[in-house]
Amino acid sequence: MLARQPHPRVSIVAPFYNESDAIRHFFAKVTTVLDELGCTDYEIVCVNDGSKDDTLTQLVETSRRDPHVVVVDLSRNFGKEAALTAGIDEATGDVIIPIDSDLQDPPELIGVMLEQWRAGFDVVLAKRADRSSDGYLKRRTAELFYRVHNRLSDTPIPENVGDYRLMDRMVVDALKLLPERRRFMKGLFAWVGFRSTTIEYVRDRRVAGNTKFSGLKLINFAIEGITSFSTAPLRLTTYAGIVVSLLAFIYAAAVVIRTLVHGIDWPGYSSLIAVVLFLGGVQLISVGIVGEYIGRIYMESKGRPVYLVQRRYGKRRDAEETR
């Protein structure tokens, strides 16, 4: 693998949604790490995803003090995947590093990532070797999601690897070619491929504030991920229909045989109701799965943009806009 330049332009991409309590900690930590690494040519792209608190105000004030900070203010809350897409689209660096603003993913890994990039890797993944900072239920559901997704999908995603990673400009340019609007970024990162390596770390607790992902949002996120990269659920409904039909045929044959032998119908109102309810449940699940895919087709067919930018802030962006 060819070695890269020693001092690339680095773009840090961080989505923000109601993170006013964490902003001060975030910039203090990230800028300290970059300064210690000797990075002089860098930018911190902050995407305000329709925050309701004073997140935008703090970000704008920071951008006025620090010329390295760029703020992209979206017109409303589009969700983390859209905000991450906006930040990646805005980034101008040779390497792009998405990171959460809550500092659960330690910025100290940036130096290790750059070393691996200089060695020739296009993507450097950060894998969570220890997730004890997350709750028990979140850890177990995450394990289940990775297991189910990778079993069903033709594009497996690395287990316990989030958005925190380093990507070469070539990888980001490839991501920009992908046209879908309902974006599951972990899957898109995996789909583009390129030469990658993995480093492990222990995930910390949030420096401030609370997580914005509720249990229901995590479930919807998992469904989004599975349906974005696999049609296996549709095939499973077909298999379920075949199995249920076979069981119904066996049940009907048993009724006929018993009637011929004993001369009476097979009693069992409760069992009949159970079978009817079971079949109804299978049908509703099947309709729901088909509806999920039809919904995705419907949203993609509209052709709406992934996000809308209300305004950009930052000395570098202001200079570019006045040219």
Side-chain angles (χ1 to χ4, degrees):
M1 290 183 286
L2 298 176
R4 266 71 179 259
Q5 57 177 307
H7 300 292
R9 176 169 171 77
V10 178
S11 292
I12 306 296
V13 175
F16 288 80
Y17 177 66
N18 294 342
E19 294 287 359
S20 61
D21 295 334
I23 290 176
R24 176 173 55 86
H25 303 283
F26 173 79
F27 283 109
K29 175 66 74 172
V30 172
T31 54
T32 298
V33 169
L34 293 174
D35 290 341
E36 290 176 349
L37 291 173
C39 295
T40 57
D41 188 12
Y42 69 88
E43 64 178 356
I44 303 176
V45 181
C46 306
V47 182
N48 177 48
D49 188 23
S51 298
K52 301 295 191 299
D53 57 9
D54 66 340
T55 293
L56 177 61
T57 301
Q58 291 191 49
L59 291 176
V60 172
E61 290 176 352
T62 304
S63 70
R64 289 171 179 166
R65 295 192 305 267
D66 188 343
H68 296 288
V69 177
V70 175
V71 179
V72 180
D73 182 28
L74 302 187
S75 61
R76 63 172 178 84
N77 177 246
F78 286 89
K80 184 182 178 182
E81 305 299 283
L84 184 58
T85 300
I88 291 175
D89 289 344
E90 194 75 18
T92 61
D94 301 311
V95 297
I96 292 83
I97 304 175
I99 187 173
D100 289 343
S101 57
D102 56 19
L103 293 180
Q104 284 193 278
D105 303 322
E108 288 83 357
L109 287 181
I110 293 175
V112 182
M113 290 179 172
L114 288 172
E115 289 178 1
Q116 295 297 322
W117 176 80
R118 293 188 188 102
F121 290 103
D122 302 313
V123 180
V124 183
L125 306 173
K127 181 177 180 179
R128 302 158 185 169
D130 184 349
R131 300 189 58 166
S132 57
S133 60
D134 295 330
Y136 174 81
L137 183 59
K138 186 174 182 179
R139 295 198 304 270
R140 297 286 83 80
T141 53
E143 291 176 3
L144 178 62
F145 165 72
Y146 285 114
R147 189 177 299 116
V148 172
H149 181 280
N150 291 341
R151 182 69 63 85
L152 298 178
S153 176
D154 295 330
T155 306
I157 58 178
E159 188 171 349
N160 288 323
V161 174
D163 298 324
Y164 190 34
R165 65 190 65 210
L166 179 147
M167 295 178 290
D168 183 80
R169 165 55 56 183
M170 176 174 55
V171 179
V172 170
D173 289 342
L175 280 171
K176 290 182 178 181
L177 297 176
L178 305 182
E180 54 254 60
R181 293 161 177 81
R182 295 285 295 273
R183 301 177 74 81
F184 178 64
M185 296 305 293
K186 291 184 181 64
L188 296 180
F189 291 150
W191 187 89
V192 295
F194 294 94
R195 292 168 297 181
S196 64
T197 186
T198 302
I199 57 177
E200 295 187 347
Y201 71 99
V202 177
R203 199 168 198 224
D204 298 327
R205 296 186 180 276
R206 291 178 60 95
V207 293
N210 299 312
T211 179
K212 308 307 183 294
F213 277 94
S214 63
L216 181 59
K217 286 185 177 180
L218 289 173
I219 292 174
N220 291 333
F221 186 67
I223 294 174
E224 186 78 17
I226 293 172
T227 56
S228 293
F229 287 87
S230 175
T231 58
L234 292 173
R235 289 195 297 270
L236 290 176
T237 58
T238 302
Y239 299 151
I242 294 173
V243 171
V244 170
S245 297
L246 288 175
L247 293 176
F249 177 79
I250 294 171
Y251 182 82
V255 171
V256 171
I257 293 173
R258 186 176 181 86
T259 301
L260 293 175
V261 172
H262 298 282
I264 59 172
D265 290 337
W266 194 358
Y269 176 79
S270 299
S271 61
L272 181 60
I273 289 297
V275 170
V276 170
L277 293 177
F278 173 74
L279 290 175
V282 171
Q283 290 172 342
L284 289 175
I285 292 173
S286 301
V287 170
I289 292 175
V290 173
E292 189 71 30
Y293 284 92
I294 293 176
R296 295 187 65 84
I297 296 172
Y298 171 67
M299 297 303 295
E300 293 292 336
S301 68
K302 291 181 178 181
R304 293 174 180 171
V306 178
Y307 59 87
L308 293 174
V309 176
Q310 183 165 270
R311 187 175 175 183
R312 295 174 175 84
Y313 302 85
K315 293 182 180 179
R316 293 190 179 184
R317 289 298 187 270
D318 292 341
E320 292 172 1
E321 291 178 358
T322 56
R323 289 175 187 173

